[in-house]
Amino acid sequence: MRQKLFVAALMLALVSSSATALHRGERSRPQSATKTLVERLGYPRDAKLLIVHADDLGVAHSVNSAAIKAFESGLVSSGSIMVPCPWLPEIAVYARAHPDADLGLHLTLTSEWSPYRWGPVLSKERVPSLLDTSGYLYSSESEAAAHVDLKEVEAEIRAQIARARALGIQPTHLDSHMGTLYQSKALFEILVRVARENKLPFRVSRDWFSRAQFMPSLLGPDDLVLDKTISIEPNVAPVDWARFYTDEIKNLPPGVTDMIVHLAFADEEMKGVTSGHPDWGAEWRQRDFNFVTSDAFRKLLRENNVKLITWREIGKLIGKT
Amino acid sequence: MRQKLFVAALMLALVSSSATALHRGERSRPQSATKTLVERLGYPRDAKLLIVHADDLGVAHSVNSAAIKAFESGLVSSGSIMVPCPWLPEIAVYARAHPDADLGLHLTLTSEWSPYRWGPVLSKERVPSLLDTSGYLYSSESEAAAHVDLKEVEAEIRAQIARARALGIQPTHLDSHMGTLYQSKALFEILVRVARENKLPFRVSRDWFSRAQFMPSLLGPDDLVLDKTISIEPNVAPVDWARFYTDEIKNLPPGVTDMIVHLAFADEEMKGVTSGHPDWGAEWRQRDFNFVTSDAFRKLLRENNVKLITWREIGKLIGKT
């Protein structure tokens, strides 16, 4: 989830101001007319609910291994899978063996690491607009957004969902790798439509609306909207990693927050994959892994009355008022 | 190059009998009416010429890294690239930066590692007979040989060659991953035809003929045939690795021999790729790497008057009598 400039831009507006986020959450709160998402999930209105979410499963063995280890720690509650990636079969084995694991699909329209790449699930003739000149998916979400044909996007993400199911993955939610499907109203509309048809919740957060004003116009009362997203960005120095997350948790407002992390080991494979790209690189992902599997994080959650939840719980609200 | 049972069977008949191989080489020797391949290459008839050849480039970062390091040692003279694999772009960067490197194409019709897989270069609709039920290339060369449509095979290997060239790889030779194109006369005929049209030499060795009698019938006087192939097989215990190669080199007959090795580091990625499969697995490849980059191997070659050559030198004979 490199170069997710759009999401990064959204985040930067919010990172340092949880009070603002709280205020915004209070103002625009109830998606059903009377209850907040927290209340619909059966918690008191002031509960602080957190999804700790590992993105990018399937991209590399290092990512799969770190995510599985993090799930076992009990401190990472959810993750999402990149269906077009070569290590999909490995994470599919895990999904089949752990049917209660909270695994969604990280719908993928980009292939961002230069030495190691992948193409779409559908054949290249079916989705030519999704490919760069070398025949892989585009390297960045902005290139993808600028070139893709919307019908081909919809066909490809439907194919990714079908392929996951064929491999025994029963996704609990949908989101978008590098935020490509959040790049425009037309792309977001596809995500919303496909998610609704599949009766799956999808990642969308109220704290994005001020920077993506098309979002609320596409959402209805039955769509489930998170209150806040936490995602560390390149403006945080490596030495400040734990401090960033600690501050976020200490200042977490009531509501449902998705804390998006990128887990891997800083091993040779991951250094190779992310070669020359420290942002969302091997060391970055090792730092994320170290923090979210630490006793310090466990203690922090406990001391701040933060409860971990999953997308599966959110998905159960679909179809209920 | 796992489960290459056909090639393995060929090897087993020859591994312990270099005298027999020499005898066979002597009997059937000149592919041009008067000169052996060694002589055509400009060496005395009794010269011992060796290609030390790394298979499987492009399959994994670990394989690329080990092969590149081995090339730098000067003791591995050649290698071949798997075009459909995800790490192709990394080895293509190396190929473009090292135009004199002796890099061929390891034409790929199989995807043999269960947690980590790839599909064809052509779209799935174009080559449906090349795919297993999960939509990847077949896991074994025997499954592939049993199911593939020959026209689709030819289209796919032509596409692999075109894709390599589009990425700036100028292949010096062709061979076949897991020996799939050596599984039947019809498959071998495709390799021969495509190689001739591309004016590229292809891996074929005189010591295979007794087990693949269709081969000589398809070869003409202009095809360049090696005298011998060395490829370590699962019947060699890990502790006997150096002894196997040492015996092979000490008993090397005059002629051109292709010593096929599988290089990688036994790191987490490679252990993941080859999980549960020690044959041609991570430790196997580390042992190959350790031996062929060792001072012992360098000394062995020198003491036995073995000269390293490349496929590029062989390819220069094409079109010459």
Side-chain angles (χ1 to χ4, degrees), chain B residues 58-76:
Chain B
V59 74
H61 178 63
S62 179
V63 168
N64 288 348
S65 306
I68 290 169
K69 197 163 177 188
F71 293 152
E72 289 169 356
S73 76
L75 291 168
V76 173

PDB file of all heavy atoms in Angstrom, chain B residues 58-76:
ATOM      1  N   GLY B  58      14.442 -15.810 -12.123  1.00  0.00           N
ATOM      2  CA  GLY B  58      13.143 -15.136 -12.202  1.00  0.00           C
ATOM      3  C   GLY B  58      12.094 -15.720 -11.283  1.00  0.00           C
ATOM      4  O   GLY B  58      11.073 -15.087 -11.030  1.00  0.00           O
ATOM      5  N   VAL B  59      12.347 -16.928 -10.770  1.00  0.00           N
ATOM      6  CA  VAL B  59      11.292 -17.567  -9.975  1.00  0.00           C
ATOM      7  C   VAL B  59      11.148 -16.924  -8.600  1.00  0.00           C
ATOM      8  O   VAL B  59      10.047 -16.857  -8.071  1.00  0.00           O
ATOM      9  CB  VAL B  59      11.523 -19.097  -9.861  1.00  0.00           C
ATOM     10  CG1 VAL B  59      12.663 -19.426  -8.914  1.00  0.00           C
ATOM     11  CG2 VAL B  59      10.249 -19.810  -9.417  1.00  0.00           C
ATOM     12  N   ALA B  60      12.269 -16.454  -8.040  1.00  0.00           N
ATOM     13  CA  ALA B  60      12.238 -15.901  -6.677  1.00  0.00           C
ATOM     14  C   ALA B  60      13.413 -14.944  -6.507  1.00  0.00           C
ATOM     15  O   ALA B  60      14.417 -15.061  -7.217  1.00  0.00           O
ATOM     16  CB  ALA B  60      12.328 -17.032  -5.641  1.00  0.00           C
ATOM     17  N   HIS B  61      13.269 -14.027  -5.580  1.00  0.00           N
ATOM     18  CA  HIS B  61      14.368 -13.095  -5.288  1.00  0.00           C
ATOM     19  C   HIS B  61      15.605 -13.856  -4.832  1.00  0.00           C
ATOM     20  O   HIS B  61      16.736 -13.525  -5.213  1.00  0.00           O
ATOM     21  CB  HIS B  61      13.911 -12.117  -4.215  1.00  0.00           C
ATOM     22  CG  HIS B  61      14.955 -11.137  -3.791  1.00  0.00           C
ATOM     23  ND1 HIS B  61      15.502 -10.204  -4.644  1.00  0.00           N
ATOM     24  CD2 HIS B  61      15.572 -10.946  -2.594  1.00  0.00           C
ATOM     25  CE1 HIS B  61      16.394  -9.470  -3.993  1.00  0.00           C
ATOM     26  NE2 HIS B  61      16.458  -9.910  -2.752  1.00  0.00           N
ATOM     27  N   SER B  62      15.389 -14.884  -4.032  1.00  0.00           N
ATOM     28  CA  SER B  62      16.493 -15.693  -3.522  1.00  0.00           C
ATOM     29  C   SER B  62      17.270 -16.335  -4.671  1.00  0.00           C
ATOM     30  O   SER B  62      18.506 -16.370  -4.656  1.00  0.00           O
ATOM     31  CB  SER B  62      15.920 -16.769  -2.586  1.00  0.00           C
ATOM     32  OG  SER B  62      16.928 -17.584  -2.078  1.00  0.00           O
ATOM     33  N   VAL B  63      16.572 -16.826  -5.663  1.00  0.00           N
ATOM     34  CA  VAL B  63      17.216 -17.446  -6.834  1.00  0.00           C
ATOM     35  C   VAL B  63      17.973 -16.393  -7.639  1.00  0.00           C
ATOM     36  O   VAL B  63      19.135 -16.597  -8.011  1.00  0.00           O
ATOM     37  CB  VAL B  63      16.157 -18.154  -7.712  1.00  0.00           C
ATOM     38  CG1 VAL B  63      16.746 -18.550  -9.060  1.00  0.00           C
ATOM     39  CG2 VAL B  63      15.595 -19.379  -6.989  1.00  0.00           C
ATOM     40  N   ASN B  64      17.344 -15.264  -7.885  1.00  0.00           N
ATOM     41  CA  ASN B  64      18.027 -14.200  -8.636  1.00  0.00           C
ATOM     42  C   ASN B  64      19.299 -13.752  -7.922  1.00  0.00           C
ATOM     43  O   ASN B  64      20.354 -13.608  -8.540  1.00  0.00           O
ATOM     44  CB  ASN B  64      17.100 -12.992  -8.815  1.00  0.00           C
ATOM     45  CG  ASN B  64      15.975 -13.248  -9.814  1.00  0.00           C
ATOM     46  OD1 ASN B  64      15.990 -14.232 -10.542  1.00  0.00           O
ATOM     47  ND2 ASN B  64      14.998 -12.356  -9.840  1.00  0.00           N
ATOM     48  N   SER B  65      19.185 -13.524  -6.614  1.00  0.00           N
ATOM     49  CA  SER B  65      20.331 -13.022  -5.845  1.00  0.00           C
ATOM     50  C   SER B  65      21.481 -14.015  -5.873  1.00  0.00           C
ATOM     51  O   SER B  65      22.642 -13.638  -6.059  1.00  0.00           O
ATOM     52  CB  SER B  65      19.933 -12.781  -4.388  1.00  0.00           C
ATOM     53  OG  SER B  65      18.812 -11.948  -4.308  1.00  0.00           O
ATOM     54  N   ALA B  66      21.156 -15.289  -5.665  1.00  0.00           N
ATOM     55  CA  ALA B  66      22.208 -16.314  -5.637  1.00  0.00           C
ATOM     56  C   ALA B  66      22.839 -16.479  -7.020  1.00  0.00           C
ATOM     57  O   ALA B  66      24.060 -16.612  -7.144  1.00  0.00           O
ATOM     58  CB  ALA B  66      21.631 -17.639  -5.141  1.00  0.00           C
ATOM     59  N   ALA B  67      22.021 -16.450  -8.047  1.00  0.00           N
ATOM     60  CA  ALA B  67      22.562 -16.628  -9.401  1.00  0.00           C
ATOM     61  C   ALA B  67      23.476 -15.463  -9.772  1.00  0.00           C
ATOM     62  O   ALA B  67      24.569 -15.667 -10.321  1.00  0.00           O
ATOM     63  CB  ALA B  67      21.424 -16.762 -10.406  1.00  0.00           C
ATOM     64  N   ILE B  68      23.045 -14.251  -9.449  1.00  0.00           N
ATOM     65  CA  ILE B  68      23.861 -13.079  -9.782  1.00  0.00           C
ATOM     66  C   ILE B  68      25.199 -13.141  -9.038  1.00  0.00           C
ATOM     67  O   ILE B  68      26.263 -12.891  -9.606  1.00  0.00           O
ATOM     68  CB  ILE B  68      23.087 -11.780  -9.473  1.00  0.00           C
ATOM     69  CG1 ILE B  68      21.925 -11.620 -10.474  1.00  0.00           C
ATOM     70  CG2 ILE B  68      24.009 -10.558  -9.502  1.00  0.00           C
ATOM     71  CD1 ILE B  68      20.924 -10.530 -10.137  1.00  0.00           C
ATOM     72  N   LYS B  69      25.143 -13.534  -7.780  1.00  0.00           N
ATOM     73  CA  LYS B  69      26.384 -13.662  -7.004  1.00  0.00           C
ATOM     74  C   LYS B  69      27.270 -14.762  -7.608  1.00  0.00           C
ATOM     75  O   LYS B  69      28.495 -14.619  -7.668  1.00  0.00           O
ATOM     76  CB  LYS B  69      26.041 -13.979  -5.541  1.00  0.00           C
ATOM     77  CG  LYS B  69      27.188 -13.734  -4.600  1.00  0.00           C
ATOM     78  CD  LYS B  69      26.739 -13.648  -3.154  1.00  0.00           C
ATOM     79  CE  LYS B  69      27.958 -13.468  -2.244  1.00  0.00           C
ATOM     80  NZ  LYS B  69      27.630 -13.555  -0.833  1.00  0.00           N
ATOM     81  N   ALA B  70      26.645 -15.816  -8.059  1.00  0.00           N
ATOM     82  CA  ALA B  70      27.409 -16.918  -8.665  1.00  0.00           C
ATOM     83  C   ALA B  70      28.022 -16.495  -9.997  1.00  0.00           C
ATOM     84  O   ALA B  70      29.163 -16.851 -10.302  1.00  0.00           O
ATOM     85  CB  ALA B  70      26.512 -18.138  -8.838  1.00  0.00           C
ATOM     86  N   PHE B  71      27.276 -15.729 -10.790  1.00  0.00           N
ATOM     87  CA  PHE B  71      27.854 -15.211 -12.044  1.00  0.00           C
ATOM     88  C   PHE B  71      29.102 -14.376 -11.722  1.00  0.00           C
ATOM     89  O   PHE B  71      30.109 -14.459 -12.414  1.00  0.00           O
ATOM     90  CB  PHE B  71      26.849 -14.328 -12.806  1.00  0.00           C
ATOM     91  CG  PHE B  71      25.648 -15.062 -13.354  1.00  0.00           C
ATOM     92  CD1 PHE B  71      24.433 -14.393 -13.517  1.00  0.00           C
ATOM     93  CD2 PHE B  71      25.709 -16.401 -13.720  1.00  0.00           C
ATOM     94  CE1 PHE B  71      23.317 -15.042 -14.036  1.00  0.00           C
ATOM     95  CE2 PHE B  71      24.592 -17.068 -14.238  1.00  0.00           C
ATOM     96  CZ  PHE B  71      23.391 -16.382 -14.389  1.00  0.00           C
ATOM     97  N   GLU B  72      29.001 -13.577 -10.669  1.00  0.00           N
ATOM     98  CA  GLU B  72      30.120 -12.707 -10.303  1.00  0.00           C
ATOM     99  C   GLU B  72      31.350 -13.500  -9.859  1.00  0.00           C
ATOM    100  O   GLU B  72      32.469 -13.002  -9.945  1.00  0.00           O
ATOM    101  CB  GLU B  72      29.689 -11.734  -9.194  1.00  0.00           C
ATOM    102  CG  GLU B  72      28.728 -10.662  -9.716  1.00  0.00           C
ATOM    103  CD  GLU B  72      28.057  -9.845  -8.603  1.00  0.00           C
ATOM    104  OE1 GLU B  72      28.285 -10.156  -7.416  1.00  0.00           O
ATOM    105  OE2 GLU B  72      27.295  -8.912  -8.953  1.00  0.00           O
ATOM    106  N   SER B  73      31.130 -14.703  -9.383  1.00  0.00           N
ATOM    107  CA  SER B  73      32.260 -15.553  -8.978  1.00  0.00           C
ATOM    108  C   SER B  73      33.051 -16.022 -10.203  1.00  0.00           C
ATOM    109  O   SER B  73      34.178 -16.499 -10.074  1.00  0.00           O
ATOM    110  CB  SER B  73      31.760 -16.775  -8.208  1.00  0.00           C
ATOM    111  OG  SER B  73      31.200 -17.746  -9.107  1.00  0.00           O
ATOM    112  N   GLY B  74      32.451 -15.933 -11.376  1.00  0.00           N
ATOM    113  CA  GLY B  74      33.109 -16.417 -12.589  1.00  0.00           C
ATOM    114  C   GLY B  74      33.013 -17.921 -12.769  1.00  0.00           C
ATOM    115  O   GLY B  74      33.500 -18.465 -13.760  1.00  0.00           O
ATOM    116  N   LEU B  75      32.403 -18.599 -11.839  1.00  0.00           N
ATOM    117  CA  LEU B  75      32.352 -20.064 -11.887  1.00  0.00           C
ATOM    118  C   LEU B  75      31.030 -20.591 -12.427  1.00  0.00           C
ATOM    119  O   LEU B  75      30.897 -21.789 -12.664  1.00  0.00           O
ATOM    120  CB  LEU B  75      32.620 -20.640 -10.497  1.00  0.00           C
ATOM    121  CG  LEU B  75      34.057 -20.449 -10.016  1.00  0.00           C
ATOM    122  CD1 LEU B  75      34.182 -20.781  -8.530  1.00  0.00           C
ATOM    123  CD2 LEU B  75      34.995 -21.331 -10.836  1.00  0.00           C
ATOM    124  N   VAL B  76      30.060 -19.728 -12.573  1.00  0.00           N
ATOM    125  CA  VAL B  76      28.794 -20.113 -13.206  1.00  0.00           C
ATOM    126  C   VAL B  76      28.703 -19.284 -14.481  1.00  0.00           C
ATOM    127  O   VAL B  76      28.715 -18.052 -14.433  1.00  0.00           O
ATOM    128  CB  VAL B  76      27.596 -19.873 -12.271  1.00  0.00           C
ATOM    129  CG1 VAL B  76      26.275 -20.111 -12.985  1.00  0.00           C
ATOM    130  CG2 VAL B  76      27.715 -20.790 -11.050  1.00  0.00           C
TER     131      VAL B  76
END
